C-alpha cells in the first residue's frame, strides 16, 4: 500500500471514531461500529509506518492537500484515550445495572422494614435524620463500616460510576463518602472477590448491599452492629 493511500485510509478511520465519540448514541451497533477502526488505529499508532509517515510529514514530504490529522501525535493519542474512557464508562454502567437487578440487603438505622400501612410518622422522622448533624453522624457510621470491611475485602470505590479508585486511603474513603453527601451524588463500592456492590445515596439513611453471599452477610452483620446499625433483607414485593 502506498504511503498516501495508507494515510488516507487511517484518516478515514480516525474521522469515523471521532464522529462516534461525539454522538455515541447515534451508532446503532454502539462500539461494534468502530471496533475495527480502533484496532487498526491502535496498531498503526507508534508503528514503524506511523513513525515514517510522521517524519515525512515533519520534513514536508507529503502532498500539501493531504488530510492527515491522524499524524498529529496528541490528536491520535487523545482519540484513543477518549475511546477507552468512554468504553470503560459503558462497561461500568453495565456492571452497575447488573448488580441493581440482583437481590439486596439494607444497612439501616432501623431494625426492620417499615410496612406501608404501619402507624407512626416515618417520613417526618426520616426528614429529621436527613438533616445535619444527624445525617453526618450516619454517614460517619457508613464510613466506619466501609473501612472495617476494607480490612477483609478489596474495595473499588466510585462516585456516580465515573472514576474508580481501588482500595483508596482511609482518609480518601471518608472524603468520598462526605463528598457524596455534599454533592448529592451516589457512591458505588464494588467487592470483586465477593461479587457484590454497596451503594450510598445522599438522600437516604441507609446503605444497600447487592448480591451479598452468606459469608458477606455474616461479616456485615457484625460490622453493622458495631456501629449501632442494623442489617436486614427487604420483604419480597
Amino acid at each position: 500500500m502506498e504511503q498516501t493511500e495508507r494515510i488516507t485510509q487511517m484518516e478515514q478511520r480516525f474521522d469515523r471514531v471521532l464522529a462516534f465519540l461525539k454522538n455515541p448514541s447515534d451508532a446503532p451497533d454502539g462500539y461494534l461500529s468502530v471496533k475495527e477502526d480502533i484496532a487498526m488505529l491502535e496498531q498503526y499508532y507508534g508503528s514503524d509506518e506511523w513513525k515514517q509517515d510522521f517524519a515525512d510529514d515533519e520534513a514536508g514530504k507529503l502532498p500539501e492537500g493531504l488530510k492527515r490529522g491522524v499524524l498529529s501525535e496528541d490528536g491520535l493519542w487523545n482519540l484513543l484515550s477518549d475511546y477507552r474512557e468512554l468504553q470503560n464508562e459503558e462497561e461500568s454502567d453495565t456492571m452497575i445495572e447488573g448488580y441493581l437487578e440482583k437481590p439486596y440487603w439494607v444497612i439501616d438505622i432501623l431494625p426492620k422494614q417499615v410496612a406501608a400501612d404501619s402507624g407512626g410518622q416515618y417520613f417526618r422522622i426520616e426528614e429529621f435524620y436527613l438533616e445535619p448533624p444527624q445525617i453526618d453522624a450516619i454517614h460517619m457510621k457508613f464510613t466506619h463500616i466501609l473501612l472495617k470491611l476494607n480490612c477483609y475485602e478489596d474495595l473499588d470505590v466510585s462516585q456516580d460510576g465515573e472514576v474508580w479508585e481501588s482500595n483508596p486511603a482511609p482518609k480518601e474513603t471518608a472524603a468520598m463518602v462526605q463528598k457524596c453527601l455534599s454533592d448529592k451524588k451516589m457512591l458505588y463500592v464494588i467487592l470483586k472477590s465477593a461479587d457484590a456492590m454497596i451503594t450510598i445515596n445522599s438522600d437516604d439513611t441507609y446503605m444497600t448491599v447487592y448480591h451479598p453471599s452468606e459469608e458477606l452477610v455474616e461479616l456485615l452483620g457484625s460490622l453493622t452492629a458495631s456501629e449501632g446499625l442494623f442489617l436486614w433483607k427487604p420483604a419480597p414485593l
Side-chain angles (χ1 to χ4, degrees), residues 187-201:
L187 189 74
Y188 297 96
V189 181
I190 300 295
L191 293 74
K192 288 184 177 178
S193 63
D195 190 18
M197 179 177 75
I198 298 175
T199 62
I200 302 176
N201 189 329

Side-chain angles (χ1 to χ4, degrees), residues 197-210:
M197 179 177 75
I198 298 175
T199 62
I200 302 176
N201 189 329
S202 61
D203 295 326
D204 292 330
T205 58
Y206 58 85
M207 290 197 294
T208 307
V209 186
Y210 294 90

Side-chain angles (χ1 to χ4, degrees), residues 14 31 43-44 66 87 91 94 114 157 165 184-185 211 224 229-230:
F14 182 95
Y31 290 94
Q43 181 178 334
Y44 177 58
L66 180 65
Q87 187 179 38
E91 292 174 351
T94 300
V114 177
V157 187
E165 291 192 39
K184 300 295 183 181
K185 288 190 174 184
H211 197 240
T224 298
L229 298 177
F230 304 92

Side-chain angles (χ1 to χ4, degrees), residues 6-237:
R6 176 177 62 247
I7 295 173
T8 297
Q9 287 189 6
M10 290 302 172
E11 186 71 14
Q12 291 171 348
R13 294 183 184 279
F14 182 95
D15 289 343
R16 281 196 293 268
V17 175
L18 186 62
F20 167 78
L21 291 174
K22 288 181 178 179
N23 295 289
S25 59
D26 291 346
D29 296 329
Y31 290 94
L32 293 177
S33 62
V34 293
K35 182 178 180 180
E36 181 181 340
D37 294 323
I38 286 293
M40 295 302 295
L41 287 170
E42 287 180 332
Q43 181 178 334
Y44 177 58
Y45 182 55
S47 67
D48 291 341
E49 289 181 335
W50 184 88
K51 291 176 182 178
Q52 184 62 55
D53 295 342
F54 179 80
D56 288 349
D57 184 30
E58 291 288 294
K61 296 181 180 180
L62 299 180
E64 184 175 343
L66 180 65
K67 192 170 181 288
R68 49 184 178 273
V70 73
L71 296 181
S72 166
E73 187 171 9
D74 289 342
L76 184 51
W77 188 90
N78 289 336
L79 182 86
L80 295 174
S81 295
D82 289 345
Y83 174 83
R84 286 191 289 268
E85 182 178 345
L86 186 62
Q87 187 179 38
N88 289 338
E89 290 178 5
E90 182 74 16
E91 292 174 351
S92 176
D93 290 344
T94 300
M95 175 184 64
I96 290 172
E97 290 172 2
Y99 278 117
L100 292 176
E101 296 177 355
K102 296 181 182 295
Y104 63 92
W105 288 62
V106 174
I107 296 174
D108 197 5
I109 61 174
L110 298 175
K112 64 178 181 179
Q113 188 172 8
V114 177
D117 58 353
S118 65
Q121 47 179 347
Y122 170 74
F123 293 106
R124 292 179 64 186
I125 292 172
E126 181 187 42
E127 288 178 4
F128 169 79
Y129 279 109
L130 285 171
E131 294 293 328
Q134 296 81 236
I135 191 62
D136 297 313
I138 292 172
H139 276 231
M140 183 55 67
K141 291 177 182 288
F142 291 168
T143 300
H144 291 166
I145 291 172
L146 291 178
L147 291 177
K148 293 174 183 178
L149 179 61
N150 202 188
C151 293
Y152 301 92
E153 297 280 350
D154 290 323
L155 303 183
D156 290 339
V157 187
S158 173
Q159 285 189 328
D160 287 350
E162 298 172 355
V163 178
W164 291 86
E165 291 192 39
S166 296
N167 292 329
K171 288 184 178 180
E172 292 180 11
T173 299
M176 293 175 77
V177 174
Q178 181 59 37
K179 190 172 178 60
C180 164
L181 177 62
S182 61
D183 292 356
K184 300 295 183 181
K185 288 190 174 184
M186 181 80 81
L187 189 74
Y188 297 96
V189 181
I190 300 295
L191 293 74
K192 288 184 177 178
S193 63
D195 190 18
M197 179 177 75
I198 298 175
T199 62
I200 302 176
N201 189 329
S202 61
D203 295 326
D204 292 330
T205 58
Y206 58 85
M207 290 197 294
T208 307
V209 186
Y210 294 90
H211 197 240
S213 63
E214 291 184 6
E215 182 179 359
L216 181 58
V217 168
E218 182 179 356
L219 175 58
L220 285 173
S222 299
L223 298 179
T224 298
S226 73
E227 294 297 327
L229 298 177
F230 304 92
L231 177 67
W232 48 267
K233 187 175 184 179
L237 297 176

